[in-house]
Amino acid sequence: MSLVLAPWLEVVLRAAAVLVAFLVLPLLVGQTEHKVMAHMQGRLGPMYAGGFHGWAQLVADGVKFVQKEDITPARADRQVFRLAPFVALIPYLVALAVIPLSPKVVGASVDASVVLVLAVIGVGIVGTLMAGWASANKYSLLGAMRAAAQLVSYELPMVLAVASVALAAGTLSLVGIGNAWHPWWLLWQLPGAVVFLVSALAELQRPPFDMPLADSEIVFGAFTEYTGLRFAFFLLAEYAGIVVMSLLFAVLFLGGWHGPFEQWVGWVWTLLKGFLVAVVVIWLRVSWPRMREDQLQRLAWVWLVPLALLQLALTAVGVVVFSR
């Protein structure tokens, strides 16, 4: 009987581990954002919630959101309006499940995992579009249209950058890409890494690409009409997206689990590298002003797409040369 139940027990444990990581890692990134932004701006940030440097501030914020009233606008498309936060959040849970921290520490081993991650990440933005369309608010609709424009513009350079790494590794498996990684890829794949990072910021609607949420122009974009726990789900989706993109960047471009004693603590190296990328994302929020829509489109189509194509061609030449 135990032999029959063992596979089910493994599935349950893996699912539980992914869920715990999905709930804990975004909170760590959010708390880091509070403190890093505060110190960069000459402030202290949260200091009281939980005691030591306000470590429980985001937990307190979650309790606050739970207590707030859940309001649905009278003219809204109620079903779509209520479903949108989950459509924005769940894809990142699926993506996190297939991103390996090491060859053996992964929620679900999928052969073409990099394709799956890119596909589900693209679905997440649909939640923002649904929220703006269903809110019956002109500012929300404008924010949703801006979000859709960013998705169309920056999905292509991101896919091209990932395709370059997959071509270099000769596999679509994230575990295979991580195992094939070599330190000299830091130079060989550097243009693709820059393209991926910029595209990831735009996909997450993070500054300087936060035009869909521009509070000084369109209140808060597609999320203007949301309150309570549903609004908290959108915030959680943002931080979960940072976690997913940072870990994906670490595996693709920084070698993931490669480092000293990687056979024992490889998963720690992946988390540390992902955390470093998340800090860079936070730093960019504080350091760069918001771009205009025309600047956004120009950056994507005039600079990032040609650069990604150049990186793909460079990788193809390298693969042909070094495979001989």
Side-chain angles (χ1 to χ4, degrees), residues 43-261:
R43 301 182 289 109
L44 292 178
M47 292 294 293
Y48 299 103
F52 181 74
H53 285 271
W55 66 268
Q57 181 60 51
L58 287 182
V59 177
D61 289 340
V63 174
K64 175 189 70 176
F65 281 122
V66 170
Q67 297 179 25
K68 287 189 173 182
E69 183 179 3
D70 182 17
I71 299 175
T72 301
R75 298 180 60 186
D77 187 329
R78 302 179 70 87
Q79 292 183 346
V80 177
F81 182 87
R82 294 177 176 179
L83 183 62
F86 301 100
V87 175
L89 181 61
I90 292 177
Y92 292 117
L93 175 61
V94 177
L96 188 62
V98 299
I99 295 179
L101 300 183
S102 75
K104 296 183 179 179
V105 182
V106 55
S109 182
V110 180
D111 291 336
S113 51
V114 69
V115 177
L116 176 60
V117 171
L118 292 176
V120 298
I121 287 175
V123 173
I125 198 69
V126 176
T128 302
L129 187 60
M130 291 171 59
W133 179 266
S135 292
N137 181 302
K138 60 182 179 181
Y139 295 116
S140 298
L141 180 59
L142 181 58
M145 293 297 103
R146 288 184 174 185
Q150 287 190 198
L151 171 66
V152 172
S153 300
Y154 285 86
E155 191 75 16
L156 178 59
M158 176 182 288
V159 170
L160 291 174
V162 174
S164 174
V165 180
L167 179 61
T171 177
L172 292 174
S173 168
L174 285 172
V175 174
I177 292 174
N179 287 332
W181 183 87
H182 193 276
W184 77 280
W185 284 21
L186 293 173
L187 181 61
W188 187 27
Q189 299 296 323
L190 179 59
V194 173
V195 170
F196 182 91
L197 182 59
V198 174
S199 300
L201 289 174
E203 291 276 324
L204 296 173
Q205 304 169 45
R206 294 281 300 184
F209 305 100
D210 61 334
M211 288 77 79
L213 309 177
D215 52 351
S216 60
E217 304 169 22
I218 52 176
V219 188
F220 206 62
F223 312 142
T224 299
E225 299 291 348
Y226 281 88
T227 59
L229 198 56
R230 298 183 194 276
F231 181 76
F233 283 159
F234 280 116
L235 295 183
L236 179 60
E238 177 183 350
Y239 289 122
I242 296 175
V243 170
V244 168
M245 292 297 190
S246 298
L247 291 177
L248 185 59
F249 186 95
V251 173
L252 293 175
F253 299 100
L254 301 180
W257 49 86
H258 290 282
F261 309 107

